[in-house]
Amino acid sequence: MAMLLAGTVLSAGLPAAAQDTDRDVTVVLAETVSVVEPCMAARQDVGRVMSENVNEMLVEFDYVNGGLKPRLATEWNQVDEDTWEFKLRDGVAWHDGTPFTAKDVQFTIERNKNPALSCETGGKYFGGTEFSFDIPDDHTIRITTTPPQPILPLLMTVMPVQSAATTPAAEFDRKPNGTGPYLFSDWQVGQSITLTRNPGYWGDQPQVERATYLFRSDSAVAAAMVQAGEADIVPSIALQDATNPETDFSYPNSETTSLRIDTRVPPTNDRRIREALNLAVDREAMIGTLFPADAQIATHLVVPTTIGYNPAVPAWPYDPDRARALVEEAKADGVDTSLPIRIIGRNGQYPNATEAMEAMMAMFQDVGLNVTLDMYDVSVWNNYFVSPFVADAGATLTQSQHDNATGDPVFTAYVKYASDGAHSMVDDPAVDDLIARATAATGDERTRLWQELFAKVNTEIIADIPMFHMVGFTRVSPRLDFKPTIATNSELQLSQIRFK
């Protein structure tokens, strides 16, 4: 039986009958969830708790079979090049009992676009797009975008919808009010989060009655909790802890690991230094040791199954001699190669994250660069990773893991490389133009433009140090009927869990 932490119930509407604790589960996450704001659900630690559990999307991406499924929207049609119409599900209520309407959808999009909030979903997926709305009735909304968004329904699969009546407009929500199958019941900051089953859910009632989320940064400790019956699921364990074939499952998780290079300040504003950084990394040596044996060396930030992936972009070879020569060449031309370069790492971002950054720091130092490492929890790391960046930070290499599970580079390109992208340290008009044209294009032209973009940012500009397309490992209690999919990396739908 799962070990549960006691907590004070904050939400109304819980069932009067006693909970069946045999239907409770405990989930152990590697990172402490520091915010529960649904517009931050694009961040893995938040998404695994909130997405489709508490707050639902208009459209659901089918990670098993591909394609789109109705969720809060029952159908959608393209009215013209600029406008899509969404028909919304009737009879859906927010957890506080008020009806879900089209005004909530408009509110959510506008709130995600609010620059004062720095919403991860808005910055990551809606950057460079302006929205206007027409609401002919409570269950119909027409969304017009500039420039046109031919894949707008796909974009709606990553935006948790929030209540216009109860969600604070200008600050993060601490007591989310959703439409999903679970109520946000308790948050013991830094310790646990509890969700309880929503008796008024519009869809089928799930089997799990209550889920408690605990935070343990040590993968071995988290895995042992499942082994001892103290927990039920650990979504991400290190490869060295995935030792039990009866409980441990591997899956391609659509994540690509990398280091983002600050191209704006010396010495990393010199292309030769950026090339040297890539040549200094012995990626092959890290496969099967720090990273899973099935991980693939990456050449850019989208996986090969994504449209627009460019197979002509070569993998960086391990060539420390060439890296040293480039550093010396830059130094001879007046580049101060002694300037500090800081790796900004994130604790628990993926298994062996700290060890991987330590190894890479040593590789960079070996070719003559002054590289140090700072590992931070996500709340501090985020200030370096998301604009506006920490001022006067000097040259940085920021540890990153980017998820693009839905198959189109629109989820990658703007946020990572556009001049106004929330994660971008690139300022290039030609890149901005390519992104704008590719976003509005369709078919073969869309593919061609994305391929051109990835060639430019990865071989000409060198904006990143791409590492690996990752494989994930999940430990699941034998009492559960649940197998991870590519979705487990960014969401963990409790309604998909069954009991044996």
Side-chain angles (χ1 to χ4, degrees):
M1 184 181 297
M3 179 183 294
L4 300 175
L5 295 183
T8 303
V9 173
L10 301 179
S11 297
L14 296 180
Q19 293 276 346
D20 179 357
T21 56
D22 287 339
R23 295 300 178 97
D24 295 350
V25 298
T26 297
V27 181
V28 184
L29 303 179
E31 294 181 279
T32 300
V33 177
S34 58
V35 297
V36 294
E37 164 58 54
C39 85
M40 297 297 287
R43 215 171 73 183
Q44 181 186 69
D45 58 320
V46 182
R48 281 179 172 155
V49 177
M50 304 300 297
S51 292
E52 306 290 26
N53 291 325
V54 179
N55 293 80
E56 299 176 285
M57 319 302 187
L58 276 188
V59 182
E60 183 176 354
F61 187 80
D62 187 341
Y63 288 97
V64 176
N65 302 307
L68 306 180
K69 300 192 298 185
R71 191 78 181 214
L72 290 179
T74 56
E75 59 182 278
W76 45 91
N77 299 284
Q78 191 166 16
V79 177
D80 54 40
E81 183 184 46
D82 306 305
T83 302
W84 286 81
E85 181 179 271
F86 293 83
K87 293 290 188 180
L88 307 184
R89 191 176 298 278
D90 197 5
V92 175
W94 295 100
H95 293 160
D96 66 354
T98 58
F100 160 68
T101 72
K103 290 181 180 178
D104 297 309
V105 178
Q106 178 177 344
F107 167 82
T108 301
I109 295 174
E110 291 176 339
R111 186 172 180 274
N112 270 269
K113 291 286 291 180
N114 181 353
L117 277 178
S118 297
C119 284
E120 186 81 3
T121 301
K124 195 171 182 179
Y125 305 128
F126 298 161
T129 302
E130 297 303 320
F131 294 83
S132 59
F133 307 90
D134 177 38
I135 300 180
D137 59 65
D138 282 349
H139 295 96
T140 305
I141 185 168
R142 298 185 185 119
I143 304 174
T144 299
T145 59
T146 306
Q149 277 289 2
I151 61 166
L152 187 63
L154 183 61
L155 282 173
M156 293 297 101
T157 66
V158 297
M159 185 192 73
V161 181
Q162 296 177 256
S163 165
T166 64
T167 305
E171 61 185 42
F172 278 179
D173 200 348
R174 294 179 59 84
K175 298 179 182 179
N177 178 25
T179 59
Y182 290 89
L183 307 168
F184 187 84
S185 296
D186 180 66
W187 182 22
Q188 301 294 325
V189 177
Q191 299 181 43
S192 67
I193 292 172
T194 303
L195 307 183
T196 51
R197 193 166 63 181
N198 172 19
Y201 183 53
W202 60 265
D204 294 336
Q205 282 290 311
Q207 290 189 13
V208 172
E209 292 199 359
R210 175 163 57 185
T212 300
Y213 298 82
L214 306 178
F215 317 123
R216 301 289 186 271
S217 59
D218 189 314
S219 168
V221 169
M225 290 175 69
V226 176
Q227 195 77 15
E230 298 174 352
D232 296 286
I233 298 178
V234 184
S236 180
I237 61 174
L239 64 98
Q240 64 267 25
D241 298 319
T243 56
N244 186 343
E246 294 184 2
T247 60
D248 302 339
F249 301 88
S250 66
Y251 62 99
N253 66 4
S254 79
E255 290 277 18
T256 301
T257 55
S258 67
L259 292 177
R260 181 195 62 196
I261 305 174
D262 190 341
T263 65
R264 309 166 302 166
V265 297
T268 51
N269 61 350
D270 189 286
R271 185 191 180 280
R272 291 166 293 190
I273 300 299
R274 301 197 295 273
E275 183 175 352
L277 287 163
N278 271 283
L279 293 170
V281 179
D282 189 351
R283 295 166 175 83
E284 292 281 358
M286 289 191 279
I287 293 180
T289 53
L290 294 173
F291 291 88
D294 293 336
Q296 299 178 357
I297 292 176
T299 61
H300 41 304
L301 297 190
V302 295
V303 295
T305 54
T306 305
I307 71 159
Y309 176 87
N310 191 337
V313 175
W316 288 100
Y318 175 50
D319 192 344
D321 291 337
R322 174 61 180 157
R324 293 186 193 99
L326 285 166
V327 172
E328 288 302 316
E329 180 184 316
K331 182 177 180 180
D333 284 346
V335 176
D336 188 351
T337 58
S338 70
L339 287 171
I341 302 172
R342 298 167 62 206
I343 298 176
I344 306 298
R346 173 174 156 184
N347 292 321
Q349 186 172 52
Y350 45 80
N352 300 325
T354 300
E355 293 81 356
M357 294 303 100
E358 290 171 341
M360 294 178 73
M361 176 182 66
M363 294 174 193
F364 299 144
Q365 292 172 343
D366 184 56
V367 300
L369 294 169
N370 179 15
V371 179
T372 58
L373 171 63
D374 293 314
M375 296 297 299
Y376 295 115
D377 287 338
V378 61
S379 57
V380 177
W381 169 91
N382 206 55
N383 295 324
Y384 289 89
F385 190 60
V386 180
S387 177
F389 309 114
V390 172
D392 302 321
T396 58
L397 310 173
T398 307
Q399 184 182 17
S400 174
Q401 182 170 237
H402 176 61
D403 177 17
N404 191 333
T406 47
D408 191 282
V410 75
F411 295 99
T412 301
Y414 188 92
V415 68
K416 298 298 183 184
Y417 302 120
S419 298
D420 294 329
H423 302 169
S424 175
M425 288 183 164
V426 175
D427 187 1
D428 188 310
V431 168
D432 292 341
D433 178 64
L434 274 171
I435 292 172
R437 288 190 288 133
T439 298
T442 58
D444 291 343
E445 177 70 0
R446 188 181 185 91
T447 298
R448 183 189 68 78
L449 289 168
W450 287 135
Q451 288 179 336
E452 186 178 342
L453 170 75
F454 289 127
K456 185 173 183 65
V457 296
N458 289 282
T459 62
E460 181 182 327
I461 295 173
I462 312 180
D464 304 291
I465 304 169
M467 296 298 297
F468 302 104
H469 301 308
M470 297 286 279
V471 173
F473 296 89
T474 296
R475 177 162 285 189
V476 181
S477 168
R479 78 188 188 101
L480 301 186
D481 180 9
F482 175 80
K483 289 186 178 180
T485 69
I486 196 170
T488 308
N489 186 61
S490 55
E491 66 178 38
L492 185 62
Q493 291 198 44
L494 298 171
S495 60
Q496 296 174 352
I497 297 172
R498 302 288 186 270
F499 294 90
K500 293 180 180 177

